[in-house]
Amino acid sequence: MIDPAPRLDRRAIASRVAQELPDGAVVNLGIGIPTMCSDFVPGGVQIIYQAETGMLGCGRIAADGDGNPDIMNAGGQFLEPVPGMSFFDSVEAFNMIRGGHIDITVLGALQVAENGDLANWLIPSRGIGSIGGAMDLAVGAKKVIVAMEHTDRRGNPKIVETCAYPLTGEACVTQIVTDIAVIDVAPGGGLVLREVAPGWSAEAVQALTAARLQVPSTLPAIHGPGDPPRA
């Protein structure tokens, strides 16, 4: 299938996810696209970022050349210091996660199933994987948002009926934001298409999705970087 319009880039995906982070939320950002979300939080919205490395209240990704090796996220990126940030043992960081104290986590994924199952740590054909804190976050965070490209490098759908890869967590994903769509996982399972990338239709998104999408009567376009934040 030929794409009907350009897909959003990774920063645009992160920008859309950032609109889902409410003021005062405790948020853990995974490696990859999720780490970019802190660059797009609207002014006046204060997010309390938490990292498995043992930090709470850290800032956004630091500008090149301004990094402090003692302030680093799970992806090895330097972060800006902010007043009141705290440091502690990674054991305490995981206690926060497992204790249900994280409001939202944003994670990447290899596959997401229509019931919200998440697979993001191992491709069996490669034989090597890394779980990191994803398994704890998938079950411990109050809301799990997946930020990813809609298809893999070979064009295969990453949103499927049933995950073929080993699971990270069962029925844990709340929302999926990709380069062509925003999709909600309905309570009890089922996928609801909420937004599409500019120039894309519900039919074009469905053609690249291996699970059935429910389509509401109103289907707005995704707002990207530079667009006004959502109300």
Side-chain angles (χ1 to χ4, degrees):
M1 172 185 168
I2 299 175
D3 291 352
R7 301 191 186 200
L8 302 178
D9 62 22
R10 291 162 65 87
R11 288 179 62 80
I13 298 172
S15 173
R16 178 60 188 86
V17 174
Q19 298 169 29
E20 298 294 325
L21 308 181
D23 187 42
V26 178
V27 175
N28 182 292
L29 300 176
I31 297 172
I33 296 173
T35 61
M36 302 177 188
C37 294
S38 61
D39 288 341
F40 298 99
V41 174
V45 176
Q46 183 177 7
I47 304 299
I48 304 170
Y49 295 107
Q50 190 263 9
E52 303 98 298
T53 49
M55 290 189 296
L56 184 68
C58 44
R60 59 195 293 173
I61 297 173
D64 290 343
D66 292 338
N68 182 334
D70 292 325
I71 307 176
M72 189 179 297
N73 65 19
Q77 296 166 302
F78 299 134
L79 303 172
E80 293 179 351
V82 297
M85 67 184 301
S86 58
F87 302 87
F88 36 84
D89 193 286
S90 61
V91 172
E92 294 302 322
F94 276 90
N95 283 341
M96 292 178 185
I97 296 169
R98 295 169 183 170
H101 303 292
I102 307 302
D103 295 314
I104 301 173
T105 185
V106 185
L107 300 172
L110 298 169
Q111 291 180 330
V112 180
E114 62 183 354
N115 70 337
D117 285 353
L118 170 66
N120 76 345
W121 74 280
L122 174 67
I123 299 176
S125 61
R126 295 181 183 175
I128 299 175
S130 177
I131 193 65
M135 186 175 292
D136 299 271
L137 288 161
V139 299
K142 297 172 186 175
K143 181 176 182 179
V144 177
I145 301 175
V146 165
M148 66 177 187
E149 283 87 6
H150 206 88
T151 56
D152 65 19
R153 295 178 181 178
R154 296 182 178 180
N156 299 312
K158 296 173 70 174
I159 302 175
V160 295
E161 290 185 352
T162 304
C163 292
Y165 297 151
L167 294 185
T168 305
E170 296 182 349
C172 57
V173 177
T174 306
Q175 188 176 60
I176 310 165
V177 180
T178 77
D179 49 1
I180 62 174
V182 176
I183 298 169
D184 289 343
V185 180
L191 303 174
V192 182
L193 183 61
R194 294 300 186 192
E195 300 174 17
V196 293
W200 285 74
S201 65
E203 292 76 17
V205 173
Q206 181 64 81
L208 295 175
T209 307
R212 187 178 70 84
L213 298 173
Q214 302 173 41
V215 182
S217 57
T218 302
L219 197 60
I222 297 173
H223 288 262
D227 289 337
R230 292 180 183 278

